[in-house]
Amino acid sequence: VQLQASGGGVVQAGGSLTLSCAGSGGTFSSYGVGWFRQGSGKEREFVAGINWNGGSTKYADSVQGRFTISRDNAKNTVTLQMNSLKPEDTAVYYCGNGVGRGWPWRVGLVRAWGQGTQVTVSS
């Protein structure tokens, strides 16, 4: 499976962005998907996850109530809607296809990564 992340950009604090993750070449829709982010000099961290059929989701405490993850298996896409963005959300965002049906909540549970998309939130 191959993943392609898109939708990053520069936005002012309080603004919104929508990230997309498109899967191809494999069984993307049969596995959970997670969004992770990596700030400058920091480790990659879990942001949000969704199980294989979209029936269950999970969010990091830092984004709960502001971000929404969803998926459309007919289109092999997962979307991360990010609202009320803060400067501390600035990072490279990666989508990852998990090793099982549930969401991959840590880096070691991801079997395939997208290339990353930069999100910059200015104050």
Side-chain angles (χ1 to χ4, degrees), residues 46-49 57-65 67-70 80:
F46 173 80
V47 174
T57 58
K58 179 69 173 179
Y59 299 92
D61 290 345
S62 59
V63 307
Q64 180 76 47
F67 291 10
T68 302
I69 189 170
S70 61
L80 184 68

Side-chain angles (χ1 to χ4, degrees), residues 18-40:
T18 302
L19 304 184
S20 293
C21 178
S24 63
T27 55
F28 176 82
S29 60
S30 298
Y31 295 87
V33 172
W35 280 98
F36 294 72
R37 66 188 181 188
Q38 189 165 14
S40 180

Side-chain angles (χ1 to χ4, degrees), residues 13-103:
S16 299
L17 281 174
T18 302
L19 304 184
S20 293
C21 178
S24 63
T27 55
F28 176 82
S29 60
S30 298
Y31 295 87
V33 172
W35 280 98
F36 294 72
R37 66 188 181 188
Q38 189 165 14
S40 180
K42 298 181 179 180
E43 293 187 352
R44 193 169 299 189
E45 64 176 0
F46 173 80
V47 174
I50 191 165
N51 76 330
W52 72 281
N53 67 358
S56 183
T57 58
K58 179 69 173 179
Y59 299 92
D61 290 345
S62 59
V63 307
Q64 180 76 47
R66 299 188 297 123
F67 291 10
T68 302
I69 189 170
S70 61
R71 71 187 300 162
D72 184 343
N73 282 346
K75 297 180 179 179
N76 274 355
T77 59
V78 171
T79 299
L80 184 68
Q81 176 65 44
M82 305 186 296
N83 298 326
S84 302
L85 283 161
K86 305 175 180 180
E88 51 264 43
D89 293 318
T90 295
V92 178
Y93 283 69
Y94 299 88
C95 61
N97 208 194
V99 299
R101 296 276 187 159
W103 57 76

Side-chain angles (χ1 to χ4, degrees), residues 96-119:
N97 208 194
V99 299
R101 296 276 187 159
W103 57 76
W105 54 269
R106 58 181 175 89
V107 171
L109 295 176
V110 173
R111 65 182 183 127
W113 290 101
Q115 84 285 7
T117 184
Q118 176 71 47
V119 172

